[in-house]
Amino acid sequence: MQRLSNIFVLFILTFIYVSTFATQRQDSLLNLLPNTTDNKKKAEIYLQLGESYLFSKPDSSNFYAQKGIYLLDTNIANTILIDLLGLEATSCFYTRNYTGAQKSNVKMYRLAKEINDKRGLLRSSKGAGISFLYIGEFQKSLKYFLINDSLIDSDNYKAKAKINMNLASVYTQLNDYSKALEYITNTTNFYEKLNDSSNLIYAYNISGITYYNLDEDLLAIKYYKKALKLNETLNIQNFTSEILSNLALVYMNMDDKLDSALLLFHKALETSTLEPGSGDRMIILTNLGTTYYKNNEIDKSISLFQQVLNSPYVNERYHILEATYVNLAQSFIAKQFYDSAYAYAKKGIETSSITGDLEFKIYGLEHLIFIDSLRSDYKSLSIHQKEFYEDKLKLNDKESKEKIAEILGNIELEKRNKENSLLIEQAKHQKDSINRKTLINIIISIGFVIVIIFASFLFFLRRKTQKLNFQLKNKNKTIEEQTLLLKTAIKSKDVFFNIIGHDLKNPFNGLIGLLKELDNNNELSKEEQKHLISILHTTSVNTHKFLINLLEWATSQSGQLKANIESVELDKLVAVCLSAHHSQIQQKQIELNIIACSNIRVKADQEMLKTILRNYLNNAIKFSPIKGVIEISSEQSDNYIRLKIKDQGIGIPNDKLENIFSIDSTYRNIGTMQEKGNGLGLKIVSEFARNMKAKVGVESIENQGSTFWIDLELDSRN
């Protein structure tokens, strides 16, 4: 105890001595100023004064840096001006003026480049990279960090580790996780060589995050566990909680590990010393609520989400707020509390308009669309679906623009690197020109060597430019493909709303007219009433079928439809589809021939395949004459089977066959008993087949009939 008291007293005395010394030095420097007339020397004094105040009073440090800069010509580069700009940038950073720090660092880099001051280049490129990172200009941050990396000596492991860590952070922000992984791996290797445990633990944690974003769950778990083990020795406050939470996130996305995820999230909360209103604690609670939802413990998930909403300062954390609102809406849907779900989904959408986060807005709109459909609120459904597709397009457009910015940024970076190489060459030339004045023979030899080097450099530059042009062409091709996808999506949206505006309106007008006739006309005979009711029934059935097709097609266009591939017994599925059309087949007295479909199993999504066969059968029945023949057969080839449905109907004109499955196709025809279609059936067939990675097609001769087919992969259990 006595020893601890002595150490404390020694610390206090040392602090007083250092403070007194610093004050005396500052006073002596201030006394020099009145007697100094040379601006350059005055600037040096201001530089020393600013450096002495940097850690204790960064505002005063910034003041003296600006006074020094004011005395010098900012267009003429020199080391004092470069150091003053560096001091101004650092003091701005300490006072959280990141924009000011960025401007000073960029100016410092330009001047250091003019006089080839490596120390100034290193300091300014690193400072500019960090400043741009803090203000969210990630492409510019990447540019300066890459320059900094190229300037650091390869054997300076400590500096290399730090810059690679910064590059990994930027690439993570740019969602380029492959590049982030490359640089965080370099960081880990450097810190392992240095045996620097305190920094290695952060590298392990970022490695885990990067692998998680790359969907490499096992590697993410491996690095999180490494970080946990290392922190058992280091015991960094709240870091165990952060790693446990990150590890739980990985398990949360593995259906067989949900119990492990719940356990780890609870341990993260127990080991955390974070305040109830801290953002990190709220994020853990939100993720814990999501895990309970996935584990079908809905009441617990609702309780946790409401706990987040009741946290202090949550209304200032919009990103957490929007996620919690949307997740809470999802939980209330699971409980069938649709009014509460609707209210929270709307709150999530409103908060997303503040953050500008289109993804959460889209999730919220999906919940509203679902509830609108259940309530049969077609007016709200139409509004929300239109907003949903518009935001989807905006999201895709935003991603395309980011990719273009990345390409242009890389081209600009290559240009900067070439300029740096030329500057280095110019410095060499200047050194050689001094030697030429004294040694003429050496000058000739050196000049010859320089010509060869310059020619080689030009050859290399030409090859590099060709490579860049090739890469740019590939990127342009990618952008054109994405543009085509966007145009297709816009066409899909137009088709969707045209169908809603025309095909859905007409049946409802018919229904309303018939009902009005029944209601107003009391003089109708029983036969007339029976006839009107029959028409009402037929119209209702057709409208119901149309709505099913419309919803299935809308789902396929949302981008969320995923095939659940399983083993399907083909003959049983065909039987189910035929039973659904039994009344139509009887009505037209159609003869069915089923050939070679028994004891066959295929790999497919059962519901999607059922929808495809249902549409094929519906068309075959609709366009077949009374007492016609429909043939269902199969042909096996290698590992695939082709299921065919053939009719003796009216067929399809040759000029319509090529685009019959396309979104652009407007071809419709009336059935042999005046049955009407909506043009969606074959579009749904095409989308569902694409999701199952199956092929569909048609063969047809006008006035003789059509054969629609689908190729399916055989199950190995056949």
Side-chain angles (χ1 to χ4, degrees):
M1 193 70 180
Q2 182 64 39
R3 188 178 176 187
L4 286 171
S5 299
N6 291 338
I7 292 170
F8 180 75
V9 171
L10 183 62
F11 174 78
I12 294 295
L13 290 171
T14 304
F15 177 79
I16 292 167
Y17 173 78
V18 171
S19 300
T20 305
F21 178 79
T23 304
Q24 288 175 349
R25 184 166 179 269
Q26 289 160 2
D27 289 340
S28 64
L29 288 168
L30 287 168
N31 290 332
L32 287 172
L33 283 171
N35 301 319
T36 306
T37 54
D38 182 76
N39 281 347
K40 193 173 181 180
K41 288 183 179 179
K42 259 190 176 180
E44 277 185 279
I45 294 169
Y46 282 129
L47 175 63
Q48 292 175 54
L49 272 167
E51 287 171 342
S52 70
Y53 279 110
L54 183 59
F55 298 105
S56 59
K57 296 179 180 178
D59 285 327
S60 298
S61 177
N62 185 266
F63 170 78
Y64 286 116
Q66 288 180 2
K67 283 186 77 76
I69 293 166
Y70 180 78
L71 292 171
L72 301 174
D73 186 347
T74 53
N75 294 315
I76 301 172
N78 60 72
T79 54
I80 297 170
L81 180 57
I82 289 167
D83 286 343
L84 282 163
L85 286 166
L87 178 64
E88 184 184 46
T90 308
S91 60
C92 282
F93 194 87
Y94 282 0
T95 56
R96 298 184 181 182
N97 179 8
Y98 303 123
T99 304
Q102 164 255 309
K103 288 178 181 177
S104 299
N105 277 311
V106 170
K107 195 181 293 182
M108 180 185 174
Y109 176 79
R110 179 178 58 79
L111 293 171
K113 192 174 173 183
E114 283 180 17
I115 61 172
N116 199 23
D117 177 9
K118 187 175 180 180
R119 187 177 70 90
L121 286 168
L122 278 164
R123 185 179 175 188
S124 59
S125 56
K126 180 183 176 182
I130 292 169
S131 302
F132 280 120
L133 179 62
Y134 269 78
I135 62 177
E137 294 191 40
F138 303 121
Q139 286 293 345
K140 290 180 181 178
S141 176
L142 177 63
K143 180 181 100 171
Y144 283 100
F145 279 146
L146 285 170
I147 291 168
N148 187 259
D149 187 33
S150 68
L151 293 167
I152 297 169
D153 296 330
S154 58
D155 58 350
N156 188 349
Y157 293 154
K158 191 172 183 180
K160 279 285 185 185
K162 287 181 179 178
I163 190 60
N164 275 268
M165 179 85 83
N166 288 333
L167 283 164
S169 298
V170 177
Y171 277 118
T172 300
Q173 293 293 336
L174 292 169
N175 296 327
D176 189 345
Y177 299 113
S178 298
K179 275 285 186 185
L181 180 61
E182 176 186 333
Y183 283 102
I184 198 59
T185 303
N186 292 342
T187 303
T188 304
N189 292 336
F190 286 126
Y191 281 134
E192 284 176 346
K193 286 178 183 177
L194 292 165
N195 198 24
D196 185 350
S197 300
S198 59
N199 281 307
L200 190 57
I201 190 171
Y202 292 104
Y204 284 156
N205 188 43
I206 295 173
S207 296
I209 293 167
T210 308
Y211 277 119
Y212 170 72
N213 286 313
L214 286 167
D215 294 325
E216 295 281 353
D217 291 340
L218 293 178
L219 287 168
I221 291 166
K222 173 186 170 183
Y223 279 94
Y224 285 140
K225 286 184 175 179
K226 276 189 171 187
L228 278 172
K229 188 174 181 181
L230 197 56
N231 202 42
E232 287 174 7
T233 307
L234 298 172
N235 196 25
I236 301 170
Q237 190 179 18
N238 283 323
F239 202 65
T240 297
S241 173
E242 182 181 341
I243 301 167
L244 286 169
S245 178
N246 289 341
L247 186 55
L249 269 178
V250 183
Y251 286 136
M252 186 179 81
N253 293 312
M254 301 165 75
D255 291 338
D256 58 338
K257 295 284 186 182
L258 289 175
D259 289 337
S260 300
L262 290 169
L263 181 65
L264 288 168
F265 277 129
H266 280 294
K267 283 181 73 176
L269 287 170
E270 288 166 11
T271 56
S272 170
T273 59
L274 296 167
E275 294 290 330
S278 72
D280 289 343
R281 188 176 181 84
M282 287 187 226
I283 289 167
I284 294 172
L285 289 170
T286 303
N287 289 331
L288 182 56
T290 304
T291 312
Y292 273 123
Y293 173 84
K294 286 190 168 189
N295 206 37
N296 207 27
E297 296 181 69
I298 309 302
D299 288 331
K300 288 183 179 179
S301 84
I302 290 171
S303 174
L304 282 159
F305 292 139
Q306 287 177 335
Q307 192 177 330
V308 172
L309 292 180
N310 292 329
S311 299
Y313 314 116
V314 69
N315 292 326
E316 298 170 14
R317 303 179 189 277
Y318 293 114
H319 286 287
I320 295 172
L321 203 56
E322 67 180 356
T324 308
Y325 282 145
V326 172
N327 287 331
L328 196 50
Q330 184 176 246
S331 297
F332 277 125
I333 286 172
K335 293 287 288 182
Q336 297 184 4
F337 297 158
Y338 298 122
D339 288 343
S340 298
Y342 205 88
Y344 281 109
K346 286 190 81 72
K347 284 184 178 182
I349 292 165
E350 287 166 7
T351 311
S352 297
S353 66
I354 298 170
T355 63
D357 191 334
L358 285 175
E359 287 186 3
F360 273 106
K361 187 180 178 186
I362 288 166
Y363 293 150
L365 285 167
E366 284 176 348
H367 297 329
L368 294 184
I369 289 166
F370 175 78
I371 298 168
D372 288 336
S373 300
L374 289 176
R375 293 173 170 175
S376 300
D377 185 355
Y378 298 113
K379 183 178 180 181
S380 297
L381 177 66
S382 174
I383 293 166
H384 292 139
Q385 283 179 330
K386 182 180 179 183
E387 194 174 357
F388 172 87
Y389 282 110
E390 285 173 352
D391 287 333
K392 271 276 190 183
L393 290 172
K394 285 178 189 175
L395 187 63
N396 292 336
D397 186 50
K398 181 182 176 184
E399 289 171 354
S400 298
K401 285 179 179 177
E402 285 174 354
K403 286 183 180 177
I404 294 167
E406 183 183 348
I407 295 165
L408 295 174
N410 288 335
I411 294 169
E412 179 64 19
L413 181 62
E414 285 293 333
K415 182 182 173 184
R416 294 286 184 186
N417 287 339
K418 287 172 199 169
E419 288 174 359
N420 286 339
S421 300
L422 287 169
L423 281 171
I424 292 166
E425 288 297 323
Q426 287 171 6
K428 287 180 181 177
H429 294 168
Q430 288 172 2
K431 187 176 179 181
D432 291 337
S433 66
I434 295 168
N435 294 330
R436 286 194 199 104
K437 292 178 182 177
T438 53
L439 301 168
I440 296 173
N441 291 330
I442 296 173
I443 290 171
I444 295 168
S445 301
I446 291 171
F448 183 68
V449 171
I450 289 169
V451 169
I452 294 171
I453 292 170
F454 191 68
S456 300
F457 177 74
L458 287 175
F459 176 74
F460 167 79
L461 195 63
R462 185 171 176 271
R463 291 291 300 274
K464 194 72 175 175
T465 305
Q466 288 173 342
K467 186 179 178 182
L468 280 171
N469 287 334
F470 178 74
Q471 289 175 349
L472 189 58
K473 284 178 183 178
N474 285 339
K475 295 287 185 182
N476 285 336
K477 185 180 177 183
T478 303
I479 292 166
E480 287 171 3
E481 289 171 354
Q482 289 175 341
T483 303
L484 184 62
L485 286 173
L486 284 172
K487 286 180 179 178
T488 304
I490 291 167
K491 284 181 181 177
S492 298
K493 183 195 73 171
D494 291 339
V495 168
F496 184 80
F497 286 114
N498 284 339
I499 289 168
I500 288 174
H502 183 268
D503 295 67
L504 192 59
K505 183 178 72 176
N506 290 343
F508 276 110
N509 285 340
L511 285 169
I512 291 164
L514 288 167
L515 287 169
K516 190 174 180 181
E517 179 68 19
L518 279 171
D519 185 48
N520 293 339
N521 195 338
N522 297 321
E523 298 177 2
L524 291 171
S525 67
K526 285 187 178 181
E527 284 299 317
E528 287 172 331
Q529 288 177 3
K530 188 177 179 182
H531 177 66
L532 284 175
I533 290 167
S534 175
I535 295 171
L536 277 171
H537 177 262
T538 303
T539 306
S540 299
V541 169
N542 290 337
T543 305
H544 179 257
K545 286 181 182 178
F546 168 66
L547 280 172
I548 289 170
N549 273 350
L550 190 63
L551 289 170
E552 285 176 341
W553 184 68
T555 303
S556 73
Q557 295 299 299
S558 70
Q560 293 184 329
L561 190 66
K562 290 185 180 177
N564 178 28
I565 303 300
E566 59 185 336
S567 180
V568 178
E569 291 182 61
L570 202 55
D571 54 347
K572 288 184 179 179
L573 194 69
V574 169
V576 169
C577 293
L578 285 171
S579 67
H581 293 85
H582 179 71
S583 62
Q584 294 170 271
I585 293 167
Q586 278 195 330
Q587 188 181 9
K588 282 196 171 183
Q589 301 175 42
I590 289 170
E591 179 184 344
L592 287 172
N593 290 335
I594 303 174
I595 306 167
C597 286
S598 60
N599 300 319
I600 296 172
R601 285 180 171 272
V602 295
K603 292 180 179 179
D605 183 303
Q606 184 161 303
E607 293 304 315
M608 288 187 184
L609 183 54
K610 193 187 293 181
T611 300
I612 290 169
L613 295 182
R614 191 180 72 227
N615 276 288
Y616 276 358
L617 280 168
N618 188 61
N619 284 347
I621 294 164
K622 182 164 70 173
F623 298 116
S624 288
I626 293 171
K627 294 187 179 181
V629 178
I630 294 176
E631 183 182 286
I632 302 172
S633 62
S634 61
E635 292 178 0
Q636 188 171 338
S637 173
D638 296 327
N639 296 325
Y640 288 84
I641 189 162
R642 174 168 288 185
L643 181 64
K644 301 190 292 184
I645 297 177
K646 182 180 179 182
D647 63 63
Q648 297 175 343
I650 61 176
I652 302 167
N654 279 333
D655 60 334
K656 304 296 182 183
L657 273 174
E658 187 177 352
N659 295 321
I660 196 72
F661 291 97
S662 171
I663 189 70
D664 296 320
S665 175
T666 57
Y667 176 69
R668 297 192 198 180
N669 212 337
I670 296 171
T672 55
M673 290 182 68
Q674 302 302 305
E675 302 101 315
K676 291 183 180 180
N678 52 58
L680 281 179
L682 293 181
K683 294 177 178 65
I684 293 169
V685 166
S686 176
E687 285 296 319
F688 281 14
R690 183 177 61 80
N691 269 278
M692 294 195 300
K693 297 183 179 176
K695 291 182 180 178
V696 292
V698 61
E699 298 158 6
S700 183
I701 300 173
E702 197 169 7
N703 299 319
Q704 291 186 31
S706 303
T707 301
F708 283 86
W709 53 263
I710 179 168
D711 287 345
L712 298 161
E713 186 179 353
L714 283 167
D715 192 340
S716 57
R717 286 182 281 181
N718 282 310

